[in-house]
Amino acid sequence: MSARAAWRDRLGTSLAPALLPVTQRWHRLDRRRQRFALAAGTLLVAALVFAYVWLPAARERDRLTARLPQLAAQLARMQQQADEVRQLQSTSALAPVPPTAADIASLQAAFGEGSRVSFEPNRAFRVVIPKIAYATWWDRLGDVQSRHQLELASMALQALPGSNREVSIDMLLAERARGSAAPTAGPAR
């Protein structure tokens, strides 16, 4: 006996008590009624397949087909943006922006009221501070270097007479070279 036949026998013996009244009734029907029941069952199965399989699949296909132009437009936009990104990545660095009065005012505010800031050629700022505490200048210089991407190009520091902590400063701050690390501010304490 094959495995399939054995399985059919087991299934038949387990379902036999439940199907016995149905099979007995089926055999009592004449041929015309059996054919009618088979046709009705076939139509019922076809209607269920149409309602629960075909119809939802057709609706989903229509919904996706209607959404296709929107998705194609999104894809075109994303490809255009990707091209722009590639173009921007391949271009060289932008030319330095000329300093403005706002840059000078910002530096003057950073170093305090008594400071004088002027613009020098080659994108450099000359800062003259007649009197400032050394520690205060040191802190403000580090802050200005990090915020404005400037480096100390040259400096003249002079201790003020009669005070051991105040100095007079004349320094030149230049734009930091691209790719260079931030230099340390001024001389070591």
Side-chain angles (χ1 to χ4, degrees):
M1 185 188 284
S2 70
R4 180 177 272 180
W7 181 80
R8 197 175 330 135
D9 286 342
R10 271 187 269 146
L11 183 64
T13 56
S14 63
L15 291 178
L19 293 178
L20 186 60
V22 175
T23 56
Q24 287 174 352
R25 187 166 178 157
W26 178 259
H27 290 300
R28 275 188 270 156
L29 293 175
D30 60 10
R31 292 294 278 164
R32 184 173 157 259
R33 288 188 183 210
Q34 284 180 350
R35 278 185 282 205
F36 179 75
L38 284 174
T42 304
L43 283 175
L44 180 64
V45 168
L48 289 174
V49 166
F50 178 78
Y52 291 105
V53 176
W54 176 260
L55 201 55
R59 286 181 183 150
E60 185 67 15
R61 185 197 66 220
D62 292 342
R63 185 184 70 79
L64 291 174
T65 303
R67 196 164 169 227
L68 196 58
Q70 177 190 7
L71 293 174
Q74 283 179 347
L75 176 63
R77 247 189 332 259
M78 289 188 323
Q79 287 174 337
Q80 179 185 7
Q81 290 170 349
D83 290 341
E84 288 175 9
V85 167
R86 276 188 230 103
Q87 184 180 10
L88 288 173
Q89 287 174 342
S90 67
T91 59
S92 63
L94 299 174
V97 177
T100 63
D103 293 330
I104 292 172
S106 174
L107 288 173
Q108 195 158 2
F111 285 111
E113 290 179 22
S115 64
R116 290 185 315 274
V117 179
S118 62
F119 179 68
E120 298 286 321
N122 300 330
R123 182 135 174 86
F125 295 94
R126 176 157 307 280
V127 181
V128 178
I129 308 170
K131 183 177 180 182
I132 190 168
Y134 180 81
T136 304
W137 166 75
W138 185 267
D139 292 338
R140 290 179 183 177
L141 178 61
D143 185 47
V144 164
Q145 285 180 320
S146 64
R147 279 191 188 184
H148 298 279
Q149 301 298 310
L150 297 171
E151 60 186 12
L152 189 60
S154 68
M155 175 185 71
L157 180 114
Q158 183 177 8
L160 293 177
S163 173
N164 63 352
R165 293 186 180 179
E166 292 185 324
V167 292
S168 171
I169 307 260
D170 183 2
M171 63 183 164
L172 190 65
L173 296 172
E175 183 178 288
R176 185 176 300 157
R178 295 196 189 277
S180 67
T184 56
R189 288 193 226 192

